[in-house]
Amino acid sequence: MDNKELDSLFRPKSVAVIGASATPGKIGHSVIKNLLDGKYEGQIYPINNKLTEIQGLKCYASILDVPGPVDSAVVTIPAQYVLPVAEDCGKKGVKALIVITSGFSEVGDTALEEKLVTISRSYGMRVLGPNIVGYLSNTDKLNASFAPFLPLKGKASLITQSGALLIAIDAASYSRGVGFDKLVSIGNMSDLDFADLIAWLNDDPNTTCITLHIEGFKDGRKFIEQCRKTSKPIIALKAGVSSHGAAAAASHTGSLAGATKVYGAAFQQAGAVQATDLDNLFDRTLSLSLQPELKGDNLLIITNGGGVGVLATDAAEKYGLPLKFAPKDVQEALKEHMPEFGSAKNPVDMTGMAGNEWYKETVRYSLTHDWVDGVVVLYCETAITNPTDIAQAVYDAFQESGVKNKPVTTSFVGGERCEAAMKWLVDKGIPAYGAPDVAVNAMAALREYAQIRESISKNSEMKLVGDKGTALKVIAKARAAGRDSLTEIEAKEVFSAYGLPVTKTVLSTSEDEAVAFANKVGYPIVMKIVSPDILHKSDAGGVKVNVKDDKSVREAFQTIMKNAREYKADADIHGIAIQEMAPWGTEVIMGSINDPTFGPTVMFGLGGIFVEVLKDVTFRVAPVSCSQSKQMISEIRGAPILAGVRGEAPRDREKLAETICQYSNMILDLGDEIKESDANPILVYEEGQGVKVVDARIILKKK
Ligand code: ADP
Ligand code: MG
């Protein structure tokens, strides 16, 4: 899509309002009033076949009667009249429909919504909505919505799926001092979705940060791809974090993959910073829209109060920016601007004696010092200082330093005078917050943004290396037998086709065969039941490890068969697998699901109680590059176990990362076939010794 295509939507020269009304309280009345109140400078054309004039504007019976061209049309009439009107708009040459009307897919009428899109597309029109509040732009003085006024001016642009929230954020922008250039209500996303709008906003000179409130996507992969191409910070708040489809999941991975975890992974892969709640969305939007990214970890905190300094120090650690002592030269220079009992270490505590000059000198010096990557300035209201003067000093320091690529956030703790000082600072482009931990969190967002972009640039897509043909043959055979799951032996054949290191396994159907194979594989061996009806083999008493001789093979064969029959009398038993016994290694698990929004998605964690009890797992949408796989390995809580603790040798994380990466390629390549899969466990050996998949499971998509 050419981004320019949406210019008529975002920056229309003329707007028609279909269903314009003279009756206050009606949406068609509000939209006209809001366009007028906002002082929109383009043409406004009210459309209503019963009136000749609305709020001083000439009214037209049909859009086809409008004399000039119309860029966008705001549709407010009831759903049942929308299609013929869309047709007329198309004939008129309207470029975009802003469909406020509800009563489409959100109430189950998907057909009506699809028809609207089909008609619009046939005329080359794009559709925003339906079921929205509308669209607002400060730059264009355009309030094409029923939200009562344009938001506080600012540099962020917001897209939200909730109309009610848009109206609330609009109002809150003033009380919270967080400004927006554009507010977009996205509604049912019948045509234009998050990715389309983000693409346009990325080119918008009046938007520096894209703020998203998301309930759900239709096409998660399109979103990820678009975000990765975006050069501006994106901050996302995901609503609706309860798990989806988890109850019905057949596998471990499925039950662990709540919406939160998969969305979290997707945001990370998309390069979007996350907000934890609505407050956090505002706070982080402010810093991301006003300040540059934080390029390194050297954060300096400057304060006039030890108490807030400690709160900020705690927050810095909590939000991933633990403070380091400033280097000697910084400490010496800063000592000049504090009494003897002050501290220049970090936090830099100038004490309650700090006035404008000390603030100015300290902030200015810090910004210009190479060691410092960013500065959080804290101020506690005192009797001897005026918050406005301190704000001025911070701003002057920022200006005089000439440093534009290091972020500054501030917190002024106090009463109304502090409020006023912070408002003034925000107007000057410096984020200010009422609490020190919030100023630090806002700074952390700038660091997360830098890190996330860096990791994206490192993660070029992986090339697929796998023998899909062989894998498909194995799958076809199982399907032909009327099955939608593979046995361990079959699953391992598929894994092998993608180069994954599995234990050598052969199927025996009699005791004699079992003994013969056992001798071929070499003792000790592992024996396992092979039945499409028994997915969890140990539960059925279907696994014997460390079988050491012929006699034990015969015994094990009988026991396993007996156990299996007791477990499930009518189980279809293929035989017993004779498997090489892998030496002991650290147990980890890899799993996959086919997420309804993002498609093939990989899970990784430590095996045993770590996954079962602690649910210490992490997700990524496939494909996962090797460096992303390494991130997965290092971000689980149990990571130190793989790194080597208490004198234990570190595990082969290199090979493990390669395995995760390769596995992600497999589930993506076979995305049309595999519903869920796992390798549980994989044994991980010492560095250089590799890994071994000892159990594999694949559940097929129903066809
Ligand atoms: P299931 O998960 O269906 O119960 P597994 O194949 O995972 O069965 O086997 C159960 C356990 O036996 C594994 O977690 C592992 O500890 C051990 N095991 C299985 N196969 C092997 C093998 N080839 N080498 C070493 N240990 C094995
Ligand atoms: Mg297993």
Side-chain angles (χ1 to χ4, degrees):
M1 188 181 75
D2 173 10
N3 289 347
K4 292 246 172 308
E5 196 192 339
L6 295 187
D7 288 359
S8 310
L9 169 72
F10 280 107
R11 316 205 61 178
K13 294 190 183 68
S14 49
V15 177
V17 180
I18 297 170
S21 166
T23 315
K26 290 219 159 172
I27 287 178
H29 180 269
S30 304
V31 176
I32 296 283
K33 181 174 184 298
N34 292 341
L35 283 166
L36 291 170
D37 288 355
K39 309 219 164 18
Y40 175 57
E41 285 159 357
Q43 291 295 324
I44 307 171
Y45 299 115
I47 313 291
N48 182 323
N49 60 10
K50 295 195 188 72
L51 299 167
T52 53
E53 193 211 282
I54 291 177
Q55 298 177 52
L57 296 167
K58 182 172 161 43
C59 187
Y60 299 86
S62 154
I63 185 121
L64 295 166
D65 300 337
V66 172
V70 178
D71 275 350
S72 79
V74 183
V75 179
T76 68
I77 51 173
Q80 70 264 34
Y81 306 122
V82 167
L83 297 186
V85 154
E87 193 85 43
D88 285 352
C89 287
K91 285 183 191 145
K92 172 67 186 168
V94 171
K95 304 280 186 340
L97 297 180
I98 297 175
V99 186
I100 289 179
T101 309
S102 52
F104 292 83
S105 65
E106 83 282 7
V107 295
D109 203 343
T110 311
L112 186 65
E113 192 164 302
E114 280 168 4
K115 278 184 205 146
L116 169 64
V117 175
T118 310
I119 292 170
S120 303
R121 289 244 169 94
S122 72
Y123 290 100
M125 277 188 303
R126 301 305 304 258
V127 181
L128 183 66
N131 183 28
I132 60 174
V133 165
Y135 164 62
L136 303 90
S137 165
N138 263 321
T139 299
D140 303 282
K141 301 185 187 167
L142 174 71
N143 181 358
S145 82
F146 61 90
F149 37 73
L150 286 165
L152 176 70
K153 280 187 186 150
K155 293 179 171 177
S157 286
L158 169 89
I159 309 171
T160 170
Q161 253 170 310
S162 159
L165 193 63
L166 182 140
I167 298 174
I169 288 178
D170 187 21
S173 68
Y174 290 92
S175 57
R176 308 192 56 131
V178 178
F180 294 91
D181 191 57
K182 297 176 172 69
L183 301 180
V184 192
S185 176
I186 197 168
N188 297 0
M189 304 189 283
S190 65
D191 172 28
L192 292 170
D193 59 16
F194 278 100
D196 299 324
L197 302 180
I198 289 168
W200 194 90
L201 290 172
N202 191 41
D203 291 342
D204 175 24
N206 303 304
T207 297
T208 58
C209 163
I210 302 168
T211 302
L212 309 175
H213 162 258
I214 298 160
E215 280 166 4
F217 296 125
K218 285 189 175 163
D219 185 346
R221 283 179 180 261
K222 182 180 171 195
F223 171 80
I224 294 179
E225 271 157 39
Q226 181 54 53
C227 290
R228 291 172 74 103
K229 284 189 273 187
T230 304
S231 56
K232 294 175 183 172
I234 296 171
I235 169 134
L237 174 63
K238 169 73 177 85
V241 292
S242 52
S243 57
H244 59 162
S251 72
H252 231 92
T253 315
S255 60
L256 290 165
T260 334
K261 286 215 160 114
V262 179
Y263 267 90
F267 288 140
Q268 189 163 17
Q269 287 172 277
V273 174
Q274 289 188 76
T276 49
D277 54 38
L278 202 51
D279 277 340
N280 196 235
L281 188 71
F282 273 108
D283 297 334
R284 294 188 143 206
T285 290
L286 190 64
S287 61
L288 286 165
S289 66
L290 297 180
Q291 290 289 305
E293 64 183 29
L294 177 62
K295 291 204 173 74
D297 292 323
N298 295 338
L299 176 66
L300 197 73
I301 292 179
I302 297 170
T303 179
N304 69 340
V308 289
V310 176
L311 289 176
T313 305
D314 289 349
E317 187 163 310
K318 179 169 168 194
Y319 300 126
L321 284 171
L323 294 191
K324 300 172 212 156
F325 286 141
K328 277 276 162 299
D329 60 327
V330 173
Q331 294 196 27
E332 272 157 30
L334 296 184
K335 269 282 181 194
E336 303 280 315
H337 313 295
M338 60 182 65
E340 199 49 48
F341 58 95
S343 166
K345 284 184 177 141
N346 194 18
V348 176
D349 181 1
M350 300 180 293
T351 78
M353 287 171 65
N356 315 339
E357 271 313 300
W358 286 0
Y359 263 101
K360 186 168 146 190
E361 288 310 313
T362 308
V363 174
R364 192 187 50 75
Y365 172 86
S366 305
L367 280 173
T368 51
H369 195 283
D370 273 352
W371 182 82
V372 177
D373 293 315
V375 180
V376 173
V377 185
L378 309 177
Y379 167 75
C380 274
E381 199 165 345
T382 67
I384 56 160
T385 49
N386 183 342
T388 316
D389 295 343
I390 301 293
Q392 179 79 52
V394 172
Y395 177 66
D396 289 348
F398 186 66
Q399 287 295 95
E400 284 171 26
S401 74
V403 176
K404 296 271 177 267
N405 61 349
K406 293 181 186 177
V408 176
T409 65
T410 67
S411 172
F412 283 52
V413 183
E416 278 167 13
R417 295 192 310 161
C418 280
E419 294 289 332
M422 287 196 283
K423 194 166 175 303
W424 184 88
L425 261 183
V426 172
D427 277 344
K428 298 281 182 214
I430 298 178
Y433 304 90
D437 54 307
V438 181
V440 172
N441 182 287
M443 180 61 81
L446 298 166
R447 182 71 190 128
E448 281 167 36
Y449 174 58
Q451 284 171 326
I452 231 165
R453 300 310 299 189
E454 197 185 305
S455 97
I456 282 182
S457 67
K458 264 198 269 164
N459 286 316
S460 48
E461 294 301 320
M462 298 298 301
K463 261 198 266 91
L464 280 176
V465 257
D467 177 0
K468 189 172 182 177
T470 299
L472 289 178
K473 261 186 230 155
V474 175
I475 290 169
K477 224 175 95 195
R479 285 201 192 278
R483 288 190 273 130
D484 55 17
S485 68
L486 302 188
T487 62
E488 180 189 330
I489 295 188
E490 290 164 337
K492 280 183 176 168
E493 277 167 21
V494 173
F495 275 49
S496 276
Y498 283 85
L500 294 163
V502 298
T503 41
K504 211 186 309 153
T505 308
V506 278
L507 178 69
S508 67
T509 50
S510 68
E511 267 181 54
D512 290 343
E513 219 177 24
V515 170
F517 287 151
N519 282 285
K520 236 189 239 161
V521 170
Y523 289 115
I525 58 147
V526 176
M527 296 171 68
K528 298 183 196 175
I529 189 75
V530 180
S531 163
D533 299 319
I534 301 175
L535 281 181
H536 301 280
K537 302 175 290 287
S538 304
D539 293 353
V543 179
K544 288 264 181 267
V545 298
N546 205 16
V547 183
K548 287 184 175 142
D549 51 42
D550 294 2
K551 183 166 159 278
S552 312
V553 170
R554 288 181 191 280
E555 278 168 21
F557 195 98
Q558 285 182 9
T559 318
I560 291 176
M561 281 296 185
K562 186 168 147 278
N563 289 348
R565 293 237 164 74
E566 274 168 18
Y567 183 75
K568 199 160 193 282
D570 58 347
D572 170 21
I573 293 172
H574 291 191
I576 286 177
I578 306 298
Q579 192 168 119
E580 81 179 273
M581 167 121 172
W584 180 87
T586 306
E587 289 197 2
V588 299
I589 168 171
M590 268 183 338
S592 83
I593 52 159
N594 223 317
D595 184 83
T597 308
F598 295 101
T601 300
V602 181
M603 183 197 81
F604 168 76
L606 286 174
I609 58 157
F610 292 96
V611 59
E612 317 232 333
V613 183
L614 303 173
K615 306 199 187 318
D616 181 17
V617 292
T618 179
F619 287 82
R620 289 291 186 285
V621 176
V624 184
S625 68
C626 276
S627 67
Q628 274 176 319
S629 303
K630 280 182 194 156
Q631 258 176 31
M632 292 178 83
I633 295 168
S634 64
E635 77 194 15
I636 54 169
R637 275 170 289 148
I641 292 175
L642 291 164
V645 275
R646 300 201 173 181
E648 280 217 28
R651 304 279 118 188
D652 199 339
R653 287 169 294 175
E654 199 68 38
K655 188 70 195 169
L656 180 59
E658 226 175 82
T659 306
I660 295 172
C661 162
Q662 192 60 6
Y663 175 64
S664 79
N665 282 329
M666 179 189 90
I667 58 149
L668 184 64
D669 206 23
L670 300 174
D672 291 339
E673 300 289 341
I674 298 181
K675 179 169 174 267
E676 295 170 30
S677 72
D678 65 37
N680 180 21
I682 305 172
L683 302 176
V684 188
Y685 300 111
E686 287 179 17
E687 272 176 357
Q689 309 285 307
V691 307
K692 203 75 158 180
V693 176
V694 303
D695 185 21
R697 181 166 18 240
I698 290 179
I699 295 160
L700 300 173
K701 277 187 167 176
K702 289 223 161 56
K703 284 210 168 158

